Amino acid sequence: MVRIAQGLLTPQAQAQVQAALAPGEALAGLASWADDIRKVRPETGPWHYVDIPLNSTGLDMMRDCPKGNCVIAKIEEFRDRWRNPSVSAEGRREALLFLVHFVGDMHQPLHCVDNSDQGGNQVPVVFQGSATNLHALWDFGLLRTMRAEDELLGQLQQAITPQVVTEWSRGTVEQWAMESWRTAQTSVYGPLPAHTPDQPVQLGEGYAKMAQPVVEQQIEKAGVRLAAILNASAQ
Ligand code: ADE
Ligand code: ZN
């Protein structure tokens, strides 16, 4: 996702990103920093998601993003901080690292939905014989069954035509979250087989086949939109 974004940066945006990194440091290698600091900065936990109820008419910022403690408000906040030349170098670097991570997180559909199950974390799943949960399955379980990263990157980049860059770069962070929430309805929860709450949901090849193109497109969208934010900030 980060490498997709980097391939789409303008020279000015690329230079700003380089300037925020140490020599030899790669942005892709810093994408999980926001997860690494969660334990020592517990207040950042809710910044990774927005709980839009699965069975609702959609996002209600007052209800779903209390006190601005959600991924939508944090992307907007760190975008503004990244843009602001009067913020310290350290503050801008931190804003960049949060932005990279949160734009990725919000495109994992389960980071924009809740079904009284902590974004699927409390839904036990058996996927191809292994016990996991719905959230973890969409975080990395499905990715593991897909192609190796380098091969996948080239394939995803081919799908990113100038038309889709224009189309996906449009809209607000709130609209992007609503889109991710709808994807959770149609492609995460909708296709689940009927199950009893206390029994793990059995998922196999059929679910993986349905989900893989969805995972790929979410990664593509995240890369395009991270680039859109960084490019707009460099103008
Ligand atoms: N904890 C509570 N809701 C969550 C969600 N939607 N994603 C990740 N963690 C959560
Ligand atoms: Zn996260």
Side-chain angles (χ1 to χ4, degrees):
M1 179 296 264
V2 178
R3 285 191 282 166
I4 290 171
Q6 284 182 300
L8 296 168
L9 293 181
T10 60
Q12 297 94 311
Q14 179 62 43
Q16 289 186 346
V17 168
Q18 267 330 308
L21 302 177
E25 207 171 40
L27 192 59
L30 300 169
S32 59
W33 169 84
D35 276 340
D36 300 337
I37 61 143
R38 253 173 112 146
K39 276 205 183 75
V40 289
R41 292 176 63 178
E43 77 281 6
T44 66
W47 301 1
H48 294 249
Y49 57 86
V50 55
D51 279 341
I52 308 173
L54 179 67
N55 298 303
S56 69
T57 54
L59 176 67
D60 175 341
M61 284 296 276
M62 299 290 277
R63 178 193 63 199
D64 306 333
C65 194
K67 299 189 186 138
N69 266 313
C70 78
V71 72
I72 298 170
K74 289 297 163 182
I75 288 173
E76 291 170 342
E77 184 182 322
F78 289 119
R79 178 187 60 190
D80 294 345
R81 195 173 299 179
W82 170 247
R83 269 180 202 176
N84 185 345
S86 59
V87 171
S88 70
E90 195 45 49
R92 293 186 69 245
R93 177 185 157 88
E94 186 183 281
L96 176 65
L97 299 196
F98 275 128
L99 264 180
V100 167
H101 184 88
F102 293 157
V103 173
D105 268 358
M106 80 167 298
H107 284 83
Q108 204 275 53
L110 286 162
H111 280 252
C112 290
V113 75
D114 190 62
N115 192 30
S116 306
D117 59 2
Q118 293 208 42
N121 277 296
Q122 293 174 345
V123 179
V125 163
V126 173
F127 176 62
Q128 299 184 337
S130 303
T132 179
N133 69 66
L134 192 61
H135 190 97
L137 180 69
W138 280 82
D139 265 353
F140 43 76
L142 289 164
L143 269 172
R144 290 219 178 104
T145 70
M146 291 159 65
R147 247 174 293 256
E149 200 186 343
D150 288 327
E151 208 184 313
L152 190 63
L153 178 69
Q155 187 203 321
L156 298 186
Q157 281 174 325
Q158 280 188 2
I160 299 172
T161 60
Q163 290 95 307
V164 305
V165 171
T166 305
E167 187 186 327
W168 292 344
S169 299
R170 272 198 286 262
T172 62
V173 182
E174 292 187 21
Q175 287 168 332
W176 298 346
M178 280 284 287
E179 199 181 276
S180 201
W181 168 76
R182 249 182 241 111
T183 302
Q185 290 182 323
T186 58
S187 305
V188 178
Y189 286 94
L192 288 184
H195 58 279
T196 44
D198 46 328
Q199 290 284 330
V201 193
Q202 299 280 340
L203 299 176
E205 197 60 34
Y207 193 83
K209 273 219 161 70
M210 175 282 303
Q212 272 158 14
V214 179
V215 172
E216 290 178 4
Q217 191 174 80
Q218 293 305 107
I219 295 170
E220 291 162 5
K221 282 184 176 173
V224 166
R225 287 168 176 167
L226 176 60
I229 288 175
L230 298 177
N231 286 344
S233 305
Q235 277 172 3

